[in-house]
């Protein structure tokens, strides 16, 4: 979706708000108001660019001003030393910023934790020292003066309205980029990684790549904005450009307005920046840094009363009112209906192996968690895996889905053409037809039920409308149709379990791995889940399930495998397995058998 639907009232409201920012200074015709409007546009765009990596992807960049400064300095030095127009120089700055972001992001975003944030701060300080050291090229600590060549080519004007027009254009472009990303497959992937990285990988998302891509896009946009701001200020100084305070200020605007929203960063800027600038002018006699007090007060109030940001708390109500306006309910575009799950045509492979594990061994220190475990799941089969607590079932399950690499042994998956593949990562397993759920449910709680299921469907299509169509079909199969527009965080335990199954089904798997999907459910939800699993098997998806609810496992499974102490203890039909003395002993102990014999 390159543009919001222009006939929707939301488009009119958004356009009116932006045009107000452009027209109001023209009507007032005050130099200070023009300056304030330019600053709002620039910092609103900077906060929006920061929000791509900090809000959508959830990767805190506390040294983000380094990309702003790179754009400023590169464009200015190209003007001074080579006579290049800043319209060209800004793209040179963006290229340097992209390289810098890769240097920071490539190693740090492969790790979880504060490493990316710390690396951006360290890189910011290193760049500041380098700029101060190379005086002949960068001007050193004294800074650089931008040549005052008047004209559009040099981005230098006598009239403030010209600066405002360009700043407004950059703001509109940045918001457009943010809109595209948020409502594209890439945006859904970013939010999924931010919410629950393991669950995102289970639906085929390469978490590292999407985080790096977000960092690169954000750095490039920030650098371009820095290039224009340098032309506007006409002076660069290292301590101001490479400023930790500037980085925190940009992030704070996004936090106040609402992280991960399109309009939030701009709203936060409009709310805070004018108040801070006015207080700087009115209260400057009381001491330097008075505007920082304004930032602090607003931030404390927002954290206390609006922890999800202004848009996060108030946006839903405002959008609901807008959606009631005439024209809000348009005709949905017709898209081809895609099959939600595997098609019955694959029944030709009925009985053939689909998922095969051979000789799986995994040791955690001195504990041998799995010891030479082998199993086979066939087409059209429900295979139950049971065993006492601590037997190693979950470790086996994680090896079958790529979340744990076995020390020895192999896992292979049959493809539609009959060839076997050996995936090695969760996303590779998902892309080769293996879907899974988690023992502790992992919904993307900030998204709706429909958007959660769409995240699985995006592995099969890039089109959001087609993904929504798949989500509706899967919702029918998993009894979630009436809950599609509800937030995932508001579902019952049974609803969340079904949602996780639906998300895995939307990927179009041949094999579905269910990890205690019946645990914690009331009798009604258990009955509903059993019926759902049978429907899934009948649709052509083979099921491997770990379950402690024995009665349901016996009723559902075609075969049962028993794991005890990391080893395969027994395999066979349900009736044979549950009556095996070795199985009874594993669950109830030898004393129970002795008592029965007595």
């Amino acid at each position: 979706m390159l543009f919001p639907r222009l006939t929707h009232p939301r488009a009119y409201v958004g356009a009116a708000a932006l045009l107000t920012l452009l027209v109001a200074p023209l009507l007032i015709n005050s130099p200070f108001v023009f300056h304030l409007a330019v600053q709002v546009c620039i910092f609103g765009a900077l906060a929006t660019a920061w929000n791509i990596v900090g809000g959508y992807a959830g990767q805190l960049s506390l040294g983000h001003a380094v990309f702003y400064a790179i754009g400023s300095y590169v464009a200015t030095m190209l003007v001074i030393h080579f006579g290049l127009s800043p319209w060209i120089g800004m793209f040179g700055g963006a290229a340097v910023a992209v390289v810098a972001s890769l240097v920071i992001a490539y190693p740090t975003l492969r790790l979880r934790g504060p490493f990316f944030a710390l690396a951006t701060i360290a890189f910011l300080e290193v760049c500041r020292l380098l700029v101060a050291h190379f005086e002949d090229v960068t001007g050193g600590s004294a800074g650089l003066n931008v040549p005052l060549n008047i004209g559009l080519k040099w981005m230098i004007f006598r009239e403030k309205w010209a600066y405002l027009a360009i700043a407004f254009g950059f703001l509109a472009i940045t918001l457009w980029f943010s809109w595209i990303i948020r409502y594209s497959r890439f945006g859904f992937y970013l939010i999924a990684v931010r919410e629950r990285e393991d669950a995102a990988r289970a639906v085929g998302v390469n978490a590292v790549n999407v985080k790096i891509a977000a960092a690169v896009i954000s750095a490039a946009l920030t650098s371009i904005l820095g290039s224009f701001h340098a032309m506007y200020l006409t002076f660069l100084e290292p301590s101001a450009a490479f400023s930790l305070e500037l980085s925190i200020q940009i992030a704070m605007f996004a936090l106040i307005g609402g992280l991960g929203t399109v309009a939030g960063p701009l709203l936060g800027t409009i709310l805070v920046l004018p108040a801070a600038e006015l207080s700087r002018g009115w209260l400057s006699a009381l001491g330097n840094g008075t505007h920082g007090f304004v930032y602090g007060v607003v931030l404390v109030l927002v954290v206390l009363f609006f922890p999800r940001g202004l848009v996060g708390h108030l946006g839903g109500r405002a959008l609901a009112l807008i959606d009631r306006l005439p024209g809000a309910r348009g005709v949905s575009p017709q898209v081809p209906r895609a099959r939600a799950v595997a098609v019955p045509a694959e029944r030709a492979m009925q009985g053939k192996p689909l998922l095969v594990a051979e000789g799986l061994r995994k040791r955690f220190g001195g504990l041998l968690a799995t010891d030479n475990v082998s199993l086979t799941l066939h087409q059209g089969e429900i295979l139950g895996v049971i065993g006492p607590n601590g037997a190693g079932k979950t470790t086996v399950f994680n090896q079958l889905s790529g979340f744990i690499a076995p020390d020895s042994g192999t896992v292979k998956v049959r493809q539609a053409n009959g060839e076997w593949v050996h995936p090695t990562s969760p996303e590779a397993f998902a892309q080769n037809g293996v879907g899974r759920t988690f023992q502790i449910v992992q919904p993307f709680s900030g998204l709706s039920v429909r958007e959660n299921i769409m995240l699985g469907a995006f592995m099969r299509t890039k089109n959001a409308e087609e993904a929504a169509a798949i989500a509706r079909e899967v919702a029918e199969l998993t009894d979630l149709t009436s809950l599609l527009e509800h937030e995932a965080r508001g579902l019952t335990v049974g609803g969340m379990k079904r949602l996780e199954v639906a998300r895995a089904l939307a990927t179009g798997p041949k094999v579905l791995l269910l990890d205690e999907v019946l645990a914690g459910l009331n009798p009604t939800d258990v009955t509903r889940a059993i019926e759902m699993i049978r429907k899934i098997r009948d649709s052509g998806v083979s099921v491997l399930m770990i379950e402690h609810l024995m009665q349901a496992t016996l009723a559902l499974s075609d075969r049962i495998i028993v794991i005890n102490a990391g080893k395969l203890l027994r395999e066979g039909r349900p009736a044979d397995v549950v009556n095996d003395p070795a199985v009874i002993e594993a669950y109830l102990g030898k004393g129970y058998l002795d008592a029965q014999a007595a």
Side-chain angles (χ1 to χ4, degrees), residues 30-359:
S30 164
F32 175 74
V33 173
F34 269 111
H35 170 73
L36 196 58
V38 170
Q39 291 289 86
V40 167
C41 287
I42 292 173
F43 279 90
L46 287 170
T48 301
W50 181 92
N51 188 54
I52 293 172
V53 65
Y56 294 159
Q59 305 303 310
L60 190 62
S61 178
L62 292 180
H64 212 67
V66 68
F67 307 119
Y68 163 89
I70 287 173
S72 301
Y73 267 89
V74 170
T76 302
M77 288 189 296
L78 289 175
V79 171
I80 294 173
H81 299 297
F82 299 98
L84 282 179
S85 166
W87 292 104
I88 300 173
M90 67 170 55
F91 292 105
V96 176
V98 165
V99 173
S101 67
L102 286 173
V103 170
I104 298 171
Y106 189 81
T108 58
L109 291 181
R110 295 175 179 275
L111 306 172
R112 301 189 190 185
F115 302 103
F116 179 68
L118 295 175
T120 56
I121 295 174
F123 200 82
L124 176 72
E125 183 63 16
V126 168
C127 288
R128 186 187 67 80
L129 293 174
L130 288 174
V131 167
H133 177 72
F134 293 101
E135 295 184 12
D136 294 341
V137 179
T138 64
S141 299
L144 282 178
N145 287 304
V146 176
L148 298 180
N149 302 320
I150 306 298
L152 179 61
K153 176 182 177 180
W154 305 105
M155 216 181 284
I156 303 292
F157 309 96
R158 291 188 175 88
E159 301 84 3
K160 289 285 187 181
W161 65 262
Y163 285 112
L164 177 58
I166 295 176
F168 182 83
F170 279 123
L171 172 63
I173 291 172
T174 308
L175 288 172
W176 178 64
F177 266 99
S178 179
W179 173 277
I180 291 174
I181 290 172
R182 171 59 184 87
Y183 293 103
S184 67
R185 180 173 69 165
F186 177 57
F188 276 88
Y189 281 0
L190 288 176
I191 294 172
V193 169
R194 179 193 71 195
E195 295 265 334
R196 298 183 185 273
E197 188 168 324
D198 284 342
R201 298 179 72 195
V203 292
V205 179
N206 189 318
V208 173
N209 286 353
V210 299
K211 288 189 287 186
I212 292 175
V216 167
I217 294 171
S218 179
L221 290 173
T222 301
S223 173
I224 289 172
L225 294 166
S227 299
F228 167 70
H229 202 205
M231 300 304 110
Y232 176 70
L233 296 176
T234 69
F235 178 73
L236 293 177
E237 194 267 322
S239 61
F242 296 92
S243 167
L244 181 61
E245 179 185 353
L246 176 61
S247 300
I248 295 174
Q249 184 181 13
I250 293 169
M252 186 183 66
F253 291 151
L255 175 64
I256 290 172
L259 292 176
T261 62
V262 176
L266 178 59
L267 179 61
T269 306
I270 292 173
L271 174 67
V272 179
L273 185 64
E277 289 295 316
L278 290 171
S279 67
R280 191 200 302 264
W282 294 340
L283 305 177
S284 58
L286 300 179
N288 292 327
T290 309
H291 64 287
F293 176 75
V294 175
Y295 286 144
V297 169
V298 174
L299 184 60
V300 168
L301 291 175
V302 169
V303 170
L304 288 176
F305 299 104
F306 306 100
R308 292 168 57 195
L310 295 175
V311 172
H313 273 74
L314 306 177
R317 299 175 186 176
L319 292 178
L321 291 174
I322 295 172
D323 287 342
R324 294 177 186 173
L325 297 174
R329 297 182 180 275
V331 178
S332 298
Q334 297 297 318
V335 297
R337 290 177 65 84
R339 288 192 176 273
V341 292
V343 296
E346 289 197 8
R347 292 295 179 86
M349 294 177 60
Q350 182 76 28
K352 292 184 179 180
L354 277 184
L355 177 69
V356 176
E358 297 175 336

Side-chain angles (χ1 to χ4, degrees), residues 525-558:
D525 281 336
V526 168
T527 302
R528 182 186 296 179
I530 289 174
E531 184 63 27
M532 176 186 67
I533 294 171
R534 284 180 174 148
K535 288 180 180 178
I536 292 170
R537 188 266 310 275
D538 293 341
S539 71
V541 179
S542 301
V543 178
L544 186 150
M545 56 184 294
I546 293 177
E547 196 52 65
H548 283 296
L549 194 59
M550 193 61 67
Q551 188 174 4
T553 305
L554 296 177
L556 282 169
S557 302
D558 300 304

Side-chain angles (χ1 to χ4, degrees), residues 333-392:
Q334 297 297 318
V335 297
R337 290 177 65 84
R339 288 192 176 273
V341 292
V343 296
E346 289 197 8
R347 292 295 179 86
M349 294 177 60
Q350 182 76 28
K352 292 184 179 180
L354 277 184
L355 177 69
V356 176
E358 297 175 336
L360 297 181
R361 292 179 183 271
K362 184 64 183 179
R363 183 181 292 277
F364 298 105
L367 173 66
L368 187 60
T370 54
D371 185 6
N372 195 31
V373 173
S374 299
L375 59 85
T376 301
L377 175 66
H378 297 88
Q379 175 71 21
E381 178 183 43
I382 296 179
L383 175 62
V385 179
I386 63 173
N389 288 327

Side-chain angles (χ1 to χ4, degrees), residues 437-441 492-502 515-521 532:
T437 66
F438 294 86
Q439 184 176 358
I440 299 174
V441 290
T492 63
V493 173
M496 287 188 181
K497 296 270 188 177
R498 297 199 308 279
L499 173 59
E500 201 160 67
V501 173
D515 193 355
E516 298 191 25
V517 74
L518 304 179
L521 303 186
M532 176 186 67

